[in-house]
Amino acid sequence: MSKPRVLFPYVEAGMGHITPMRAIAEKFKELYGDKVECIENKFFGDSGNKTLVAFEKKMCKSVTDTNRDHALGFAMTFTMLLFGNRIATWASSCLLKSGTKKPAIAHMEELAPDMVVSTHWSTNYFAKNSPCAPLTALYCPDAYTYPLFNYPSDVLLLPTEAGYKHALKRWKRRFNPDNLQHVPALIRNDAYKISSDKRTLRESLGLDPDKFTVVVAEGGYGIGRITKICREVIKRDLNVNLVAVCGKNAELYEQMKSWKSGENCAFHPVGFTERMLEYLACADLFCGKSGANVFFEACYFGVPQIVTNTATHIEKFNCKYFVEDIKTALKIFNAEKVADKIEEFTADPEKLSPLKKAAEAQRENYGAEKSAKHIFELLCTRFPELKD
């Protein structure tokens, strides 16, 4: 007999959907790769279909547009809440780029999966509407679920207890303890290999090992308050390593490379980097918009955070989680006030202690093994022989 085919489709719509997919795919292959055929691909980009490639680009543009225009972001997510999961998901998948649904389902048929594991709502939607009717497991990378992730799936995996309880109460017609599971947050496997010695990490990254280190990032596309915050810290010449991660915003990176900092402030602009985890691990403080992925990663390394920006209702709920639910972050949307806090913490790092302890307390809520086991158990409902 041929092995069951499990598809792990990568989707770019911000980097927050790619990194958890890497984590779950690696762990699932490690545990069950001898029993199933694991297929990893860039679902839209590798399809060879111009419409599907354009659809993914449209999703990326939607992310950058909402980061530039917060009113647009909140209007879009409010509309999702207003119309509910089925209409919102249909509209997002079919109207963002006309003609997407048919080739997407055809591509799903070509891949012929028995199960589709998604970290983005779109591949779950196309799988559920595919005639091959694969089992579907969906991981929500945010703290709270929302309509696009509430579209039917065989199981939804959610990485926060607060989000799990909220979903059972708020979306009780959709979720129950069988089709909704609270799991540890998915983090890149490389995180477990990174040294806890901040001085050594800073030296390896070309930073002053003894300076208070602040990392500022505004998502994978580097759009937000990063410019104002960095200008303010540089203007005050605070005694810090100031790392500005510009992501895929090449224009901002080139602009920042020309900036001059004073005698005390060591300014380090960084473009798109594969060493983001190391920058986070060496930091004393992280500042950025409340995309869940990077905040979960900062927590893993015990790094306190400042939420500087929210572009949608989704990010607003992420902000609530880190600021109110687990208390690892402060919410400050004014660049000058962010600089005030950096100055305060630089003068007295002990003031960060409550946030730091709260972040360190989250360390046990990480890992892909539980998610992998839930997915395998779901697969066994169709292929019980896998248990042997």
Side-chain angles (χ1 to χ4, degrees), residues 1-282:
M1 290 181 61
S2 60
K3 295 179 180 179
R5 292 166 60 85
V6 180
L7 174 64
F8 297 90
Y10 289 85
V11 177
E12 182 178 350
M15 297 304 291
H17 301 280
I18 292 175
T19 50
M21 179 60 83
R22 286 177 182 161
I24 187 60
E26 286 182 20
K27 179 56 69 172
F28 192 85
K29 284 191 294 184
E30 175 191 325
L31 295 176
Y32 309 111
D34 60 329
K35 297 183 177 183
V36 304
E37 181 183 355
C38 295
I39 307 159
E40 294 180 77
N41 79 341
K42 297 176 182 177
F43 184 78
F44 299 106
D46 289 347
S47 67
N49 184 283
K50 291 181 180 179
T51 300
L52 298 188
V53 172
F55 174 72
E56 187 170 49
K57 289 181 178 178
K58 284 272 190 177
M59 288 195 294
C60 293
K61 186 177 184 299
S62 177
V63 173
T64 59
D65 287 347
T66 55
N67 284 335
R68 289 192 174 100
D69 185 349
H70 294 182
L72 173 64
F74 278 96
M76 287 174 60
T77 48
F78 174 76
T79 303
M80 293 176 194
L81 292 166
L82 183 65
F83 285 103
N85 62 52
R86 290 182 181 272
I87 294 176
T89 309
W90 169 82
S92 297
S93 60
C94 298
L95 302 182
L96 190 64
K97 172 64 180 174
S98 62
T100 297
K101 185 175 181 178
K102 186 175 179 179
I105 291 176
H107 183 44
M108 190 69 72
E109 289 287 291
E110 291 169 358
L111 295 168
D114 295 294
M115 170 181 274
V116 178
V117 179
S118 299
T119 57
H120 190 268
W121 58 267
S122 63
T123 48
N124 176 72
Y125 175 77
F126 295 127
K128 291 300 290 185
N129 285 274
S130 170
C132 65
L135 294 165
T136 57
L138 179 60
Y139 173 84
C140 177
D142 294 290
Y144 289 81
T145 186
Y146 53 98
L148 296 182
F149 276 81
N150 293 350
Y151 191 83
S153 60
D154 292 303
V155 66
L156 178 71
L157 307 173
L158 198 57
T160 69
E161 184 178 5
Y164 174 77
K165 291 179 178 178
H166 177 266
L168 288 176
K169 182 177 180 180
R170 172 68 176 83
W171 315 102
K172 56 188 176 182
R173 290 187 178 181
R174 165 67 178 91
F175 295 116
N176 58 62
D178 292 325
N179 64 20
L180 178 68
Q181 297 292 333
H182 171 220
V183 296
L186 297 181
I187 189 170
R188 286 172 275 186
N189 293 329
D190 290 344
Y192 306 116
K193 306 170 188 174
I194 292 176
S195 169
S196 60
D197 186 336
K198 290 184 183 290
R199 294 188 82 261
T200 300
L201 283 173
R202 289 171 189 166
E203 286 180 334
S204 73
L205 293 164
L207 306 175
D208 186 324
D210 298 313
K211 280 186 183 290
F212 187 93
T213 299
V214 180
V215 174
V216 186
E218 294 279 357
Y221 302 112
I223 299 169
R225 294 191 170 93
I226 184 172
T227 301
K228 291 182 179 179
I229 291 169
C230 290
R231 284 194 183 280
E232 189 65 28
V233 173
I234 291 171
K235 183 177 75 173
R236 300 184 190 193
D237 194 24
L238 300 182
N239 187 27
V240 298
N241 289 318
L242 178 62
V243 179
V245 182
C246 303
K248 292 190 173 183
N249 192 337
E251 182 181 349
L252 177 62
Y253 175 57
E254 291 300 320
Q255 175 189 336
M256 284 186 165
K257 285 199 299 184
S258 67
W259 292 5
K260 304 295 182 184
S261 54
E263 182 179 343
N264 297 309
C265 181
F267 181 54
H268 296 267
V270 178
F272 183 78
T273 177
E274 295 292 338
R275 303 186 72 181
M276 186 63 188
L277 290 176
E278 293 172 78
Y279 281 110
L280 288 172
C282 82

